[in-house]
Amino acid sequence: MRTPDGRVLAGASFGPADGEPVLFIAGAATGRSMAFGEDLLEALGVRLLTMDRPGMGASDADTGRTLASTVDDYREFVSAALGNADARVPVVANSQGGVFGLGAAAAGWATRLVLVSPADELAHPAIRAMLPAEATGLADLAQQDPAAAAEVLAGFDAEAMEQMVLSGSGPEDRAFYAAPAFLERYRSALAEGFANEGAGYIRDTLIAMRAWNLPFDRIRVPVSVLFGAKDLTHSPDHGEVLASRIPGARRIVFADAGGAFLWTHARAALEAVLDR
């Protein structure tokens, strides 16, 4: 579809065409090929919508892209996919995509939000205090000198991202990510994420690393924050601080899950977003 300013936004749909629409906002550097729970969508009656964020995959770049404009693009995409300019849908957001899910909830068009293994706001004082300096160095640079941070991020590619995710994960997550069935899907999504010389990935990461300035107090829809206790990468406190900032948010930590929660516990994520 085309945005009002003429840009192309590309997306995909999984599950039955007449299913209840759910928007899935994927994590860092992953495009429209990334999905989850495909074996459950038919039985649960869910149509999962995904989108290449601007500059990723087949979506045109937006050089001035912000958190707010990306949230607006998601809304335009959903409206076009459903043929309804006033469409409001439940949202599942994973990892670095969590900030866009929160933006959709604050904007009022997400009817329910499920954050699965969401990344924290690194600029938040309580989160910074939990992390070593080496974990916040790039975020500090992104805040102080975005152009310099963009140069650092430009040296990253799909292979480096794959290796970082695998090496930083616990043994169970690493085994899941390295399994052929998942790895093939992940590599396809990373190829989309790093299209256009990584322009979309760079912009995404700068948005996520800098202060979000989100109006958390405007979030009036049900929000669930789901984490695996064995998750070593997404949050130093498994989303405790993040959940405390969201009015009425429900946080659940699953003892038998890790960072791959979205795929290993897909039913829990889908049932949460469907409120079943």
Side-chain angles (χ1 to χ4, degrees):
M1 56 82 62
R2 288 190 179 275
T3 62
D5 61 358
R7 290 178 294 110
V8 171
L9 292 176
S13 176
F14 301 84
D18 61 349
E20 180 176 349
V22 172
L23 174 65
F24 172 51
I25 301 179
T30 48
R32 67 186 184 279
S33 291
M34 184 53 71
F36 72 99
E38 294 100 315
D39 58 327
L40 302 171
L41 301 180
E42 187 74 38
L44 292 176
V46 172
R47 180 188 179 193
L48 198 67
L49 302 172
T50 65
M51 186 188 85
D52 287 332
R53 289 188 284 276
M56 293 184 172
S59 288
D60 289 340
D62 178 3
T63 55
R65 180 158 71 96
T66 64
L67 170 53
S69 73
T70 307
V71 169
D72 286 344
D73 281 342
Y74 268 114
R75 184 173 192 176
E76 292 286 347
F77 168 75
V78 168
S79 295
L82 302 181
N84 179 1
D86 299 318
R88 300 176 71 241
V89 296
V91 176
V92 176
N94 175 235
S95 187
Q96 192 169 286
V99 64
F100 303 113
L102 286 164
W109 56 265
T111 58
R112 180 177 293 273
L113 174 62
V114 176
L115 297 171
V116 180
S117 313
D120 280 307
E121 181 177 8
L122 296 178
H124 191 274
I127 297 301
R128 285 180 55 83
M130 297 181 203
L131 296 170
E134 57 268 25
T136 61
L138 186 56
D140 292 341
L141 184 62
Q143 193 71 31
Q144 299 159 8
D145 190 344
E151 289 185 15
V152 174
L153 292 168
F156 217 54
D157 60 14
E159 183 177 356
M161 174 64 79
E162 179 185 319
Q163 291 305 312
M164 183 183 75
V165 169
L166 266 65
S167 64
S169 300
E172 293 179 20
D173 280 337
R174 191 178 308 120
F176 178 85
Y177 293 142
F182 180 83
L183 195 56
E184 181 179 359
R185 160 65 61 79
Y186 187 40
R187 286 175 173 171
S188 295
L190 284 175
E192 295 161 350
F194 281 98
N196 305 307
E197 299 182 335
Y201 160 73
I202 292 169
R203 178 65 64 172
D204 255 18
T205 306
L206 289 176
I207 290 170
M209 284 188 166
R210 303 184 75 197
W212 294 351
N213 297 318
L214 276 170
F216 283 87
D217 59 323
R218 293 185 192 171
I219 297 176
R220 292 289 182 267
V221 298
V223 178
S224 297
V225 181
L226 308 182
F227 261 99
K230 302 174 186 178
D231 188 337
L232 303 180
T233 59
H234 290 105
S235 169
D237 66 350
H238 296 120
E240 184 175 359
V241 166
L242 180 61
S244 73
R245 301 171 66 194
I246 305 168
R250 177 186 66 159
R251 171 177 167 265
I252 307 175
V253 179
F254 290 69
D256 62 342
F261 183 104
L262 181 69
W263 300 280
T264 61
H265 290 61
R267 180 177 287 276
L270 287 168
E271 289 180 345
V273 81
L274 297 170
D275 192 27
R276 297 179 185 171

